[in-house]
Amino acid sequence: MNIAIYPGSFDPFTNGHLDILNRACAVFDEVVVLVAINSSKNTFFSLQERVECLKKVLADHPKVKVDSYEGLTVDYAKKVGAKHIIRGLRAVTDFEYEFQLASANRFASPGIDMVFFMASAENSFVSSSVVKELYRNGADISPLVPSEVLKAFTSKK
Ligand code: ADP
């Protein structure tokens, strides 16, 4: 079975993430959406909130599993027998960071490759930070996130 890992903070999961995930599902047999546990990052949603929300959003995606992990994604990939890590690319600014990350992963684990999908035009400006900034300032974020994510925002006070 051809398994891929899609790691990220997903704080929150946006339609941009969903687009990348759906396209990855067309290529791989199983995709694990891996919520990174990064204690140095201050997140808006707790790890538990993000995982629970993702499980609801992706309940009708038979190829997708949701999990969380503290440590290197490549180590998680080895644990589950995955050979590919999915990432998304928006502007050139993403490239530098992703290139460094890909090189670090290759250094740590040469047998695992990164696979990149380019953002679709309508999602190219969508990031978790932009969504949070718009929400804080009272904008309607419903076109940018799955409905379960919108619910998570409105139920969080
Ligand atoms: P991280 O904190 O690891 O960067 P994110 O949750 O911000 O995690 O993003 C996970 C991955 O999804 C990254 O590769 C990021 O570039 C990609 N991504 C985020 N938003 C979009 C988008 N709108 N279109 C395409 N890829 C995206």
Side-chain angles (χ1 to χ4, degrees):
M1 189 150 80
N2 215 348
I3 307 172
I5 314 293
Y6 182 28
S9 310
F10 307 118
D11 184 43
F13 190 77
T14 68
N15 285 346
H17 291 129
L18 186 60
D19 174 44
I20 299 296
L21 179 63
N22 282 333
R23 285 155 60 198
C25 283
V27 179
F28 295 95
D29 300 316
E30 182 180 304
V31 181
V32 183
V33 176
L34 190 67
V35 186
I37 306 179
N38 185 345
S39 43
S40 68
K41 250 194 185 176
N42 241 337
T43 56
F44 182 80
F45 291 105
S46 70
L47 174 70
Q48 201 192 341
E49 285 170 331
R50 282 176 284 154
V51 169
E52 273 172 18
C53 183
L54 271 165
K55 283 188 174 162
K56 286 185 204 154
V57 173
L58 302 169
D60 61 349
H61 282 63
K63 285 185 167 185
V64 175
K65 282 192 180 153
V66 178
D67 202 357
S68 57
Y69 189 66
E70 183 161 26
L72 297 178
T73 306
V74 285
D75 290 338
Y76 180 92
K78 276 183 216 155
K79 198 173 70 137
V80 299
K83 295 258 182 315
H84 296 94
I85 295 175
I86 311 287
R87 296 287 286 178
L89 285 176
R90 283 157 296 186
V92 211
T93 41
D94 275 345
F95 178 82
E96 218 169 315
Y97 175 69
E98 295 293 342
F99 184 62
Q100 189 181 34
L101 194 65
S103 308
N105 278 340
R106 225 176 158 67
F107 170 79
S109 187
I112 295 176
D113 227 331
M114 311 272 290
V115 176
F116 294 92
F117 289 87
M118 305 294 261
S120 24
E122 69 269 28
N123 290 316
S124 61
F125 73 98
V126 182
S127 70
S128 300
S129 331
V130 161
V131 165
K132 283 181 280 193
E133 194 58 28
L134 289 171
Y135 181 77
R136 276 194 204 104
N137 289 287
D140 175 18
I141 57 163
S142 59
L144 308 180
V145 294
S147 59
E148 287 297 342
V149 172
L150 189 64
K151 273 191 218 159
F153 268 104
T154 50
S155 63
K156 192 172 172 79
K157 280 286 159 268

Coordinates of all heavy atoms in Angstrom, one line a residue, residues 4-86:
A4 N 1.1 8.0 2.2 CA 1.8 9.3 2.3 C 1.3 10.1 3.5 O 0.2 9.8 4.1 CB 1.4 10.2 1.1
I5 N 2.2 10.9 4.0 CA 1.9 11.7 5.2 C 1.8 13.2 4.8 O 2.6 13.7 4.1 CB 3.1 11.6 6.3 CG1 3.6 10.2 6.5 CG2 2.7 12.3 7.6 CD1 2.7 9.3 7.1
Y6 N 0.7 13.8 5.3 CA 0.5 15.2 5.0 C 0.6 15.9 6.4 O -0.3 16.0 7.1 CB -0.8 15.5 4.4 CG -1.0 17.0 4.0 CD1 0.0 17.9 3.8 CD2 -2.3 17.5 3.9 CE1 -0.2 19.2 3.5 CE2 -2.5 18.8 3.6 CZ -1.5 19.7 3.4 OH -1.7 21.0 3.1
P7 N 1.9 16.4 6.8 CA 2.0 17.0 8.1 C 1.8 18.5 8.1 O 2.0 19.2 7.0 CB 3.5 16.7 8.4 CG 4.2 16.8 7.0 CD 3.1 16.4 6.0
G8 N 1.4 19.1 9.2 CA 1.2 20.5 9.3 C 0.7 20.9 10.7 O 0.5 20.0 11.5
S9 N 0.6 22.2 10.9 CA 0.1 22.7 12.1 C -1.5 22.6 12.1 O -2.1 22.4 13.1 CB 0.5 24.1 12.4 OG 1.9 24.2 12.3
F10 N -2.0 22.9 10.9 CA -3.5 22.9 10.7 C -4.2 23.7 11.7 O -5.1 23.2 12.4 CB -4.0 21.5 10.5 CG -3.3 20.7 9.5 CD1 -2.5 19.5 9.8 CD2 -3.3 21.1 8.2 CE1 -1.8 18.8 8.9 CE2 -2.6 20.4 7.2 CZ -1.9 19.2 7.6
D11 N -3.7 24.9 12.0 CA -4.3 25.8 13.0 C -4.9 27.0 12.5 O -4.4 28.1 12.6 CB -3.2 26.2 14.0 CG -3.7 27.0 15.2 OD1 -4.7 26.6 15.7 OD2 -3.0 28.0 15.6
P12 N -6.1 26.9 11.7 CA -6.9 25.7 11.5 C -6.6 25.2 10.1 O -5.9 25.7 9.3 CB -8.3 26.3 11.5 CG -8.1 27.6 10.8 CD -6.8 28.1 11.2
F13 N -7.3 24.0 9.8 CA -7.3 23.4 8.5 C -8.2 24.3 7.6 O -9.3 24.6 7.9 CB -7.9 22.0 8.6 CG -7.8 21.1 7.4 CD1 -6.6 20.5 7.2 CD2 -8.9 20.9 6.6 CE1 -6.5 19.6 6.1 CE2 -8.8 20.0 5.5 CZ -7.6 19.4 5.3
T14 N -7.6 24.6 6.4 CA -8.3 25.5 5.5 C -8.7 24.8 4.2 O -8.3 23.7 4.0 CB -7.4 26.7 5.1 OG1 -6.3 26.2 4.3 CG2 -6.8 27.4 6.3
N15 N -9.5 25.5 3.3 CA -9.8 24.9 2.0 C -8.5 24.7 1.2 O -8.5 23.9 0.3 CB -10.8 25.8 1.3 CG -12.2 25.7 1.9 OD1 -12.5 24.8 2.6 ND2 -13.1 26.6 1.6
G16 N -7.5 25.5 1.5 CA -6.2 25.3 0.8 C -5.6 24.0 1.1 O -5.2 23.2 0.3
H17 N -5.6 23.6 2.4 CA -5.2 22.3 2.9 C -6.0 21.2 2.2 O -5.5 20.2 1.8 CB -5.3 22.2 4.4 CG -4.3 23.1 5.2 ND1 -4.7 23.9 6.2 CD2 -3.0 23.2 5.1 CE1 -3.7 24.5 6.7 NE2 -2.6 24.2 6.0
L18 N -7.3 21.4 2.2 CA -8.2 20.4 1.7 C -8.0 20.1 0.2 O -8.0 19.0 -0.2 CB -9.7 20.9 1.9 CG -10.8 19.9 1.6 CD1 -10.7 18.6 2.4 CD2 -12.2 20.5 1.8
D19 N -7.7 21.2 -0.5 CA -7.4 21.0 -1.9 C -6.2 20.1 -2.1 O -6.2 19.2 -2.9 CB -7.2 22.4 -2.5 CG -6.7 22.4 -3.9 OD1 -7.3 21.6 -4.7 OD2 -5.8 23.2 -4.3
I20 N -5.1 20.4 -1.4 CA -3.9 19.7 -1.5 C -4.1 18.2 -1.1 O -3.7 17.3 -1.8 CB -2.8 20.2 -0.5 CG1 -2.4 21.7 -0.9 CG2 -1.5 19.3 -0.5 CD1 -1.8 21.9 -2.2
L21 N -4.9 18.0 0.0 CA -5.2 16.7 0.5 C -6.0 15.9 -0.6 O -5.7 14.7 -0.9 CB -6.0 16.7 1.8 CG -6.4 15.4 2.4 CD1 -5.2 14.6 2.8 CD2 -7.3 15.7 3.6
N22 N -7.0 16.5 -1.2 CA -7.8 15.8 -2.2 C -7.0 15.4 -3.4 O -7.1 14.3 -3.9 CB -9.0 16.7 -2.7 CG -10.1 16.7 -1.6 OD1 -10.3 15.7 -0.9 ND2 -10.8 17.8 -1.6
R23 N -6.0 16.2 -3.8 CA -5.2 15.9 -4.9 C -4.2 14.8 -4.5 O -3.9 14.0 -5.4 CB -4.5 17.2 -5.4 CG -5.6 18.0 -6.2 CD -5.3 19.5 -6.2 NE -4.0 19.8 -6.9 CZ -3.4 20.9 -6.7 NH1 -3.9 21.9 -6.0 NH2 -2.3 21.1 -7.4
A24 N -3.8 14.8 -3.3 CA -2.8 13.7 -2.9 C -3.6 12.4 -2.8 O -3.0 11.3 -3.2 CB -2.3 14.1 -1.5
C25 N -4.9 12.4 -2.5 CA -5.7 11.2 -2.4 C -5.8 10.6 -3.8 O -6.1 9.4 -3.9 CB -7.1 11.5 -1.8 SG -7.0 11.7 0.0
A26 N -5.7 11.4 -4.8 CA -5.8 10.9 -6.2 C -4.6 10.1 -6.6 O -4.6 9.3 -7.5 CB -6.1 12.0 -7.2
V27 N -3.5 10.3 -5.8 CA -2.2 9.7 -6.2 C -1.9 8.5 -5.2 O -1.3 7.5 -5.7 CB -1.1 10.7 -6.1 CG1 0.3 10.1 -6.4 CG2 -1.4 11.9 -7.1
F28 N -2.2 8.6 -3.9 CA -1.8 7.6 -2.9 C -3.0 6.8 -2.5 O -4.2 7.2 -2.6 CB -1.2 8.3 -1.8 CG 0.1 9.0 -2.1 CD1 0.2 10.3 -2.5 CD2 1.3 8.3 -2.2 CE1 1.3 11.0 -2.8 CE2 2.5 8.9 -2.6 CZ 2.5 10.2 -2.9
D29 N -2.7 5.6 -1.9 CA -3.8 4.7 -1.4 C -4.3 5.2 -0.1 O -5.4 5.0 0.3 CB -3.2 3.3 -1.2 CG -2.7 2.7 -2.5 OD1 -3.4 2.9 -3.5 OD2 -1.6 2.1 -2.5
E30 N -3.4 5.8 0.7 CA -3.8 6.3 2.0 C -3.0 7.5 2.3 O -1.8 7.6 2.1 CB -3.5 5.2 3.1 CG -3.9 5.6 4.5 CD -3.6 4.5 5.5 OE1 -4.1 3.4 5.4 OE2 -2.9 4.9 6.5
V31 N -3.6 8.5 2.9 CA -2.9 9.8 3.3 C -3.2 10.0 4.8 O -4.4 10.1 5.2 CB -3.3 11.0 2.5 CG1 -2.5 12.2 2.9 CG2 -3.1 10.7 1.0
V32 N -2.1 10.1 5.6 CA -2.3 10.4 7.0 C -2.1 11.9 7.2 O -1.0 12.5 6.9 CB -1.3 9.7 7.9 CG1 -1.5 10.0 9.4 CG2 -1.3 8.2 7.6
V33 N -3.1 12.6 7.6 CA -3.0 14.0 8.0 C -2.4 14.0 9.4 O -3.1 13.6 10.4 CB -4.4 14.7 7.9 CG1 -4.2 16.2 8.4 CG2 -4.9 14.7 6.5
L34 N -1.2 14.5 9.5 CA -0.5 14.4 10.8 C -0.3 15.8 11.4 O 0.4 16.7 10.9 CB 0.9 13.8 10.5 CG 1.7 13.5 11.7 CD1 1.1 12.3 12.5 CD2 3.2 13.1 11.4
V35 N -1.0 16.0 12.5 CA -1.0 17.2 13.2 C 0.3 17.3 14.0 O 0.5 16.4 14.9 CB -2.2 17.4 14.1 CG1 -2.2 18.8 14.7 CG2 -3.5 17.2 13.3
A36 N 1.1 18.2 13.7 CA 2.4 18.3 14.4 C 2.3 18.8 15.8 O 1.6 19.8 16.0 CB 3.3 19.2 13.6
I37 N 2.9 18.1 16.7 CA 2.9 18.6 18.1 C 4.2 19.4 18.3 O 5.3 18.9 18.3 CB 2.9 17.5 19.1 CG1 1.7 16.6 18.9 CG2 2.9 18.0 20.6 CD1 1.6 15.4 19.8
N38 N 4.1 20.7 18.3 CA 5.2 21.6 18.4 C 5.0 22.5 19.6 O 4.3 23.5 19.5 CB 5.3 22.4 17.1 CG 6.6 23.2 17.1 OD1 7.2 23.5 18.1 ND2 7.0 23.7 15.9
S39 N 5.7 22.1 20.7 CA 5.4 22.9 22.0 C 5.9 24.3 21.9 O 5.4 25.1 22.7 CB 6.0 22.1 23.2 OG 7.3 21.7 22.8
S40 N 6.8 24.6 21.0 CA 7.3 26.0 20.9 C 6.3 26.9 20.1 O 6.5 28.1 20.1 CB 8.7 26.0 20.3 OG 8.6 25.7 19.0
K41 N 5.4 26.3 19.4 CA 4.4 27.1 18.6 C 3.2 27.4 19.4 O 2.6 26.5 20.0 CB 4.0 26.4 17.3 CG 4.6 27.0 16.1 CD 4.0 26.5 14.8 CE 4.6 27.0 13.6 NZ 4.1 26.5 12.4
N42 N 2.8 28.7 19.5 CA 1.6 29.1 20.2 C 0.4 29.0 19.3 O 0.3 29.7 18.4 CB 1.7 30.5 20.8 CG 1.6 30.5 22.3 OD1 1.0 29.6 22.9 ND2 2.1 31.6 22.8
T43 N -0.5 28.0 19.5 CA -1.5 27.8 18.5 C -2.9 28.4 19.1 O -3.1 28.5 20.3 CB -1.7 26.3 18.2 OG1 -2.0 25.6 19.4 CG2 -0.5 25.7 17.5
F44 N -3.8 28.7 18.2 CA -5.1 29.2 18.5 C -6.0 28.1 19.0 O -6.6 28.2 20.0 CB -5.7 29.9 17.3 CG -7.0 30.5 17.5 CD1 -7.2 31.8 18.1 CD2 -8.2 29.9 17.1 CE1 -8.4 32.4 18.3 CE2 -9.4 30.4 17.3 CZ -9.6 31.7 17.9
F45 N -5.9 27.0 18.3 CA -6.7 25.8 18.7 C -5.7 24.8 19.3 O -4.6 24.6 18.9 CB -7.3 25.1 17.5 CG -8.5 25.9 16.9 CD1 -8.3 26.6 15.7 CD2 -9.7 26.0 17.5 CE1 -9.3 27.3 15.1 CE2 -10.7 26.7 16.9 CZ -10.6 27.4 15.7
S46 N -6.2 24.1 20.4 CA -5.3 23.2 21.1 C -5.2 22.0 20.1 O -5.9 21.8 19.2 CB -6.0 22.7 22.4 OG -7.1 21.9 22.1
L47 N -4.2 21.1 20.5 CA -4.0 19.9 19.7 C -5.2 19.1 19.6 O -5.6 18.6 18.5 CB -2.8 19.1 20.3 CG -2.6 17.8 19.7 CD1 -2.0 17.9 18.3 CD2 -1.6 16.9 20.5
Q48 N -5.9 18.9 20.7 CA -7.1 18.1 20.8 C -8.2 18.7 19.9 O -8.9 18.0 19.2 CB -7.6 18.0 22.2 CG -8.5 16.8 22.5 CD -9.1 16.9 23.8 OE1 -8.7 17.6 24.7 NE2 -10.2 16.1 24.0
E49 N -8.4 20.0 20.0 CA -9.4 20.7 19.2 C -9.1 20.5 17.7 O -10.0 20.2 16.9 CB -9.4 22.2 19.5 CG -10.1 22.5 20.8 CD -9.9 24.0 21.2 OE1 -8.9 24.6 20.8 OE2 -10.7 24.5 21.9
R50 N -7.8 20.6 17.3 CA -7.5 20.4 15.9 C -7.7 19.0 15.4 O -8.3 18.8 14.3 CB -6.0 20.9 15.7 CG -5.8 22.4 15.6 CD -4.4 22.8 15.5 NE -3.7 22.6 16.8 CZ -2.4 22.4 16.9 NH1 -1.6 22.2 15.8 NH2 -1.8 22.3 18.1
V51 N -7.3 18.0 16.2 CA -7.5 16.6 15.8 C -9.0 16.3 15.7 O -9.4 15.7 14.7 CB -6.7 15.7 16.8 CG1 -7.1 14.3 16.6 CG2 -5.2 15.9 16.7
E52 N -9.7 16.7 16.7 CA -11.2 16.4 16.7 C -11.9 17.0 15.5 O -12.7 16.4 14.9 CB -11.8 16.9 18.0 CG -11.7 15.8 19.1 CD -12.2 16.3 20.4 OE1 -12.9 17.4 20.5 OE2 -11.8 15.7 21.4
C53 N -11.5 18.3 15.2 CA -12.1 19.0 14.1 C -11.8 18.3 12.8 O -12.6 18.1 12.0 CB -11.7 20.5 14.2 SG -12.4 21.5 12.9
L54 N -10.5 18.0 12.7 CA -10.1 17.3 11.4 C -10.8 16.0 11.2 O -11.1 15.6 10.1 CB -8.6 17.1 11.5 CG -7.7 18.2 10.9 CD1 -6.3 18.0 11.4 CD2 -7.8 18.2 9.4
K55 N -11.0 15.2 12.3 CA -11.7 14.0 12.2 C -13.1 14.2 11.6 O -13.6 13.4 10.8 CB -11.7 13.2 13.5 CG -10.4 12.6 13.8 CD -10.4 11.7 15.0 CE -9.0 11.0 15.1 NZ -8.8 10.4 16.4
K56 N -13.8 15.3 12.1 CA -15.1 15.6 11.6 C -15.0 16.0 10.1 O -15.8 15.5 9.3 CB -15.7 16.7 12.4 CG -16.2 16.2 13.8 CD -16.9 17.3 14.5 CE -16.8 17.2 16.0 NZ -16.9 18.4 16.7
V57 N -14.1 16.9 9.8 CA -14.0 17.4 8.4 C -13.8 16.3 7.4 O -14.3 16.3 6.3 CB -12.9 18.5 8.3 CG1 -12.6 18.9 6.9 CG2 -13.1 19.7 9.2
L58 N -12.9 15.3 7.9 CA -12.5 14.3 6.9 C -13.2 12.9 7.1 O -12.7 11.9 6.5 CB -10.9 14.1 7.1 CG -10.2 15.5 6.8 CD1 -8.7 15.3 7.2 CD2 -10.4 15.9 5.3
A59 N -14.3 13.0 7.8 CA -15.0 11.7 8.1 C -15.4 11.0 6.8 O -15.5 9.8 6.8 CB -16.2 12.0 9.0
D60 N -15.7 11.8 5.8 CA -16.2 11.1 4.5 C -15.1 10.9 3.5 O -15.3 10.8 2.3 CB -17.3 12.0 3.9 CG -16.9 13.4 3.6 OD1 -15.8 13.8 4.0 OD2 -17.6 14.1 2.9
H61 N -13.8 10.9 4.0 CA -12.7 10.7 3.1 C -12.1 9.3 3.5 O -11.3 9.2 4.4 CB -11.6 11.7 3.4 CG -11.9 13.0 2.7 ND1 -13.0 13.8 3.0 CD2 -11.2 13.7 1.7 CE1 -13.0 14.9 2.2 NE2 -11.9 14.8 1.4
P62 N -12.5 8.2 2.8 CA -12.1 6.9 3.2 C -10.6 6.6 3.1 O -10.1 5.8 3.9 CB -12.9 6.0 2.2 CG -13.3 6.9 1.1 CD -13.4 8.3 1.6
K63 N -9.9 7.4 2.3 CA -8.4 7.1 2.2 C -7.6 7.9 3.3 O -6.4 7.7 3.4 CB -7.9 7.6 0.9 CG -8.3 6.7 -0.3 CD -7.6 7.3 -1.5 CE -7.7 6.3 -2.7 NZ -6.9 6.8 -3.8
V64 N -8.3 8.7 4.1 CA -7.6 9.6 5.0 C -7.7 9.2 6.4 O -8.7 8.8 6.9 CB -8.2 11.1 4.9 CG1 -7.5 12.0 5.9 CG2 -8.0 11.6 3.4
K65 N -6.5 9.3 7.1 CA -6.5 9.0 8.6 C -5.9 10.3 9.2 O -5.2 11.0 8.6 CB -5.5 7.9 8.9 CG -6.1 6.5 8.6 CD -5.3 5.5 9.2 CE -5.9 4.1 8.9 NZ -4.9 3.1 8.9
V66 N -6.3 10.6 10.5 CA -5.9 11.7 11.2 C -5.1 11.2 12.4 O -5.5 10.4 13.1 CB -7.0 12.6 11.6 CG1 -6.5 13.8 12.4 CG2 -7.9 13.1 10.4
D67 N -3.9 11.8 12.6 CA -3.1 11.4 13.8 C -2.3 12.6 14.2 O -2.2 13.6 13.5 CB -2.2 10.2 13.4 CG -1.7 9.4 14.6 OD1 -2.1 9.8 15.7 OD2 -1.0 8.4 14.4
S68 N -1.6 12.5 15.3 CA -0.7 13.6 15.8 C 0.6 13.0 16.2 O 0.6 11.8 16.6 CB -1.3 14.4 16.9 OG -1.7 13.5 18.0
Y69 N 1.7 13.7 16.2 CA 3.0 13.2 16.5 C 3.9 14.3 16.9 O 4.0 15.4 16.4 CB 3.5 12.5 15.2 CG 4.8 11.7 15.4 CD1 4.8 10.6 16.2 CD2 6.0 12.1 14.9 CE1 5.9 9.8 16.4 CE2 7.1 11.3 15.1 CZ 7.1 10.2 15.8 OH 8.2 9.5 16.0
E70 N 4.7 13.9 17.9 CA 5.8 14.8 18.4 C 7.1 14.3 17.9 O 7.4 13.1 18.3 CB 5.7 15.0 19.9 CG 6.7 16.0 20.4 CD 6.4 16.5 21.8 OE1 5.8 15.7 22.6 OE2 6.9 17.6 22.2
G71 N 7.8 15.0 17.1 CA 9.1 14.5 16.6 C 9.2 14.7 15.1 O 8.4 15.4 14.5
L72 N 10.1 14.1 14.5 CA 10.3 14.2 13.1 C 9.3 13.5 12.3 O 9.0 12.3 12.6 CB 11.7 13.7 12.7 CG 12.9 14.4 13.3 CD1 14.2 13.8 12.8 CD2 12.9 15.9 12.9
T73 N 8.7 14.1 11.3 CA 7.7 13.5 10.4 C 8.3 12.2 9.8 O 7.6 11.2 9.6 CB 7.2 14.5 9.3 OG1 6.8 15.7 10.0 CG2 6.1 13.9 8.5
V74 N 9.6 12.3 9.4 CA 10.2 11.1 8.7 C 10.2 9.9 9.7 O 10.1 8.8 9.2 CB 11.6 11.4 8.2 CG1 11.6 12.3 7.0 CG2 12.5 12.0 9.3
D75 N 10.3 10.1 11.0 CA 10.3 9.0 11.9 C 8.9 8.4 12.0 O 8.7 7.2 12.0 CB 10.7 9.5 13.3 CG 12.2 9.8 13.4 OD1 12.9 9.2 12.5 OD2 12.7 10.6 14.2
Y76 N 7.9 9.3 12.0 CA 6.5 8.8 11.9 C 6.3 8.0 10.6 O 5.7 6.9 10.6 CB 5.5 10.0 12.0 CG 4.1 9.5 12.0 CD1 3.4 9.3 13.2 CD2 3.4 9.3 10.8 CE1 2.1 8.8 13.2 CE2 2.1 8.9 10.7 CZ 1.4 8.6 11.9 OH 0.1 8.2 11.9
A77 N 6.8 8.6 9.5 CA 6.6 7.9 8.2 C 7.2 6.5 8.2 O 6.6 5.6 7.8 CB 7.3 8.8 7.1
K78 N 8.4 6.4 8.8 CA 9.0 5.1 8.9 C 8.2 4.1 9.7 O 8.0 2.9 9.4 CB 10.4 5.2 9.6 CG 11.5 5.6 8.6 CD 12.8 5.6 9.3 CE 13.7 6.7 8.8 NZ 14.7 7.2 9.7
K79 N 7.6 4.6 10.8 CA 6.8 3.8 11.7 C 5.6 3.2 11.0 O 5.3 2.1 11.2 CB 6.3 4.7 12.9 CG 5.9 4.0 14.1 CD 5.6 5.0 15.2 CE 4.3 5.8 14.9 NZ 3.4 6.0 16.0
V80 N 5.0 4.0 10.1 CA 3.8 3.5 9.4 C 4.1 2.9 8.0 O 3.2 2.6 7.3 CB 2.7 4.5 9.4 CG1 2.2 4.9 10.8 CG2 3.1 5.7 8.5
G81 N 5.4 3.0 7.6 CA 5.7 2.4 6.3 C 5.4 3.4 5.1 O 5.2 2.9 4.0
A82 N 5.4 4.7 5.4 CA 5.1 5.7 4.3 C 6.4 6.1 3.7 O 7.4 6.3 4.4 CB 4.4 6.9 4.9
K83 N 6.4 6.3 2.4 CA 7.6 6.7 1.7 C 7.6 8.1 1.2 O 8.5 8.6 0.6 CB 7.8 5.7 0.5 CG 8.1 4.3 0.8 CD 9.6 4.0 0.7 CE 10.0 2.6 1.0 NZ 9.5 2.0 2.1
H84 N 6.4 8.7 1.3 CA 6.3 10.1 0.8 C 5.6 11.1 1.8 O 4.7 10.7 2.6 CB 5.4 10.1 -0.5 CG 6.1 9.3 -1.6 ND1 5.8 8.0 -1.8 CD2 7.0 9.7 -2.5 CE1 6.6 7.6 -2.9 NE2 7.3 8.6 -3.2
I85 N 6.1 12.3 1.8 CA 5.6 13.3 2.6 C 5.0 14.4 1.7 O 5.7 14.9 0.8 CB 6.7 13.9 3.6 CG1 7.1 12.8 4.5 CG2 6.1 15.2 4.3 CD1 8.2 13.2 5.4
I86 N 3.8 14.8 1.9 CA 3.1 15.8 1.1 C 3.3 17.2 1.7 O 3.1 17.4 2.9 CB 1.6 15.5 1.0 CG1 1.3 14.1 0.7 CG2 0.9 16.5 0.1 CD1 1.5 13.6 -0.7

